[in-house]
């Protein structure tokens, strides 16, 4: 369904479970960054009414997710740690060559956002299925569904703005790049680590 070309090993879930505060802190800040990305798309492409409406919903939902993760942490006696750079996202953003073409830049941003959501969805699935903690398992299973919806929204918009064949070629190249990148990951208690 997600088209990812590399599957996360269950060993990553073990690392994440053993470093729960770290994974939750990373996750909380990812939700915040996802909300910021949606707001940025609204600001930069304000003339695209359908996009603005969809990004408004995503921004609100991502901030709700941030609050949910933070509330979960507080309930468990944890304190939100400091945000850290996400080298996964930084590498994905460098994949496409910078362009002065607004439409092309939009499509690139939409595809990167779709992939981040797809990988988050896949990681949340692995995490939820390898968790003895029922509350945490259910929590991540519910979030997984939301991430899948965001993935399809971003990819769907990219395909609306450009010829499907062109977008799918760009998407395929990005998926290949990400799969190669993921082969060296899975060792940190981070959503994309």
């Amino acid at each position: 369904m997600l088209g990812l070309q590399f599957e996360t090993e269950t060993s990553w879930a073990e690392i994440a479970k053993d470093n729960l505060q770290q994974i939750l802190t990373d996750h909380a800040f990812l939700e915040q960054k996802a909300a910021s990305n949606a707001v940025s798309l609204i600001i930069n492409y304000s003339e695209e009414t359908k996009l603005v409406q969809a990004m408004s919903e995503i921004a609100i939902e991502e901030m709700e997710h941030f609050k949910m993760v933070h509330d979960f942490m507080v309930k468990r006696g944890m304190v939100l740690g400091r945000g850290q750079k996400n080298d996964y996202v930084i590498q994905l953003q460098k994949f496409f060559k910078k362009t002065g073409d607004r439409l092309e830049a939009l499509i690139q941003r939409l595809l990167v956002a779709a992939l981040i959501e797809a990988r988050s969805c896949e990681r949340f699935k692995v995490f939820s299925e390898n968790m003895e903690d029922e509350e945490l398992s259910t929590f991540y299973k519910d979030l997984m569904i939301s991430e899948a919806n965001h993935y399809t929204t971003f990819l769907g918009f990219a395909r609306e703005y450009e010829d499907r064949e062109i977008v799918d070629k760009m998407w395929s190249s990005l998926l290949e790049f990400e799969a190669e990148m993921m082969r060296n990951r899975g060792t940190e208690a981070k959503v994309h680590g």
Side-chain angles (χ1 to χ4, degrees):
M1 175 191 103
L2 298 170
L4 298 173
Q5 297 180 11
F6 181 85
E7 289 186 27
T8 297
E9 303 279 336
T10 57
S11 58
W12 169 82
E14 294 300 319
I15 293 166
K17 282 193 301 192
D18 291 343
N19 299 282
L20 199 53
Q21 180 155 347
Q22 168 59 38
I23 191 77
L24 291 170
T25 294
D26 183 61
H27 178 190
F29 281 109
L30 285 177
E31 297 292 359
Q32 208 176 58
K33 289 171 188 168
S36 295
N37 182 56
V39 170
S40 174
L41 284 166
I42 291 168
I43 292 166
N44 289 295
Y45 297 93
S46 56
E47 73 281 8
E48 299 294 338
T49 302
K50 279 176 59 182
L51 181 69
V52 168
Q53 290 171 323
M55 292 304 109
S56 297
E57 290 174 15
I58 286 176
I60 291 165
E61 194 171 324
E62 298 289 19
M63 282 310 296
E64 286 171 351
H65 291 171
F66 169 81
K67 183 178 181 336
M68 288 167 59
V69 175
H70 185 251
D71 288 349
F72 189 90
M73 292 179 77
V74 170
K75 180 180 170 184
R76 299 260 177 131
M78 299 175 190
V79 174
L80 182 65
R82 295 185 61 88
Q84 300 158 4
K85 289 188 179 186
N86 186 317
D87 62 320
Y88 170 82
V89 173
I90 291 167
Q91 291 303 313
L92 288 183
Q93 290 171 336
K94 290 179 181 176
F95 175 74
F96 292 115
K97 289 185 177 141
K98 290 217 183 276
T99 177
D101 184 290
R102 268 182 102 241
L103 181 61
E104 189 176 353
L106 172 59
I107 291 163
Q108 290 174 358
R109 285 186 68 179
L110 291 168
L111 291 178
V112 168
L115 186 48
I116 293 167
E117 297 287 346
R119 180 56 68 188
S120 298
C121 176
E122 188 256 2
R123 284 284 173 104
F124 292 171
K125 181 178 188 297
V126 170
F127 201 40
S128 70
E129 289 175 351
N130 292 281
M131 185 67 54
E132 294 87 30
D133 182 326
E134 252 183 74
E135 183 183 25
L136 199 56
S137 176
T138 301
F139 181 70
Y140 274 95
K141 201 172 291 180
D142 292 344
L143 288 176
M144 173 188 75
I145 295 163
S146 178
E147 301 297 310
N149 289 334
H150 295 170
Y151 149 74
T152 57
T153 298
F154 285 116
L155 189 56
F157 271 110
R159 288 173 172 158
E160 273 186 40
Y161 287 118
E162 181 58 90
D163 179 81
R164 170 94 185 233
E165 195 174 316
I166 292 168
V167 171
D168 286 352
K169 194 177 277 189
M170 291 170 70
W171 178 241
S172 180
S173 297
L174 184 60
L175 285 171
E176 285 174 27
F177 172 77
E178 193 261 2
E180 203 53 46
M181 193 170 70
M182 290 305 291
R183 292 186 204 298
N184 301 316
R185 301 179 88 74
T187 58
E188 291 183 276
K190 293 184 174 184
V191 174
H192 303 115

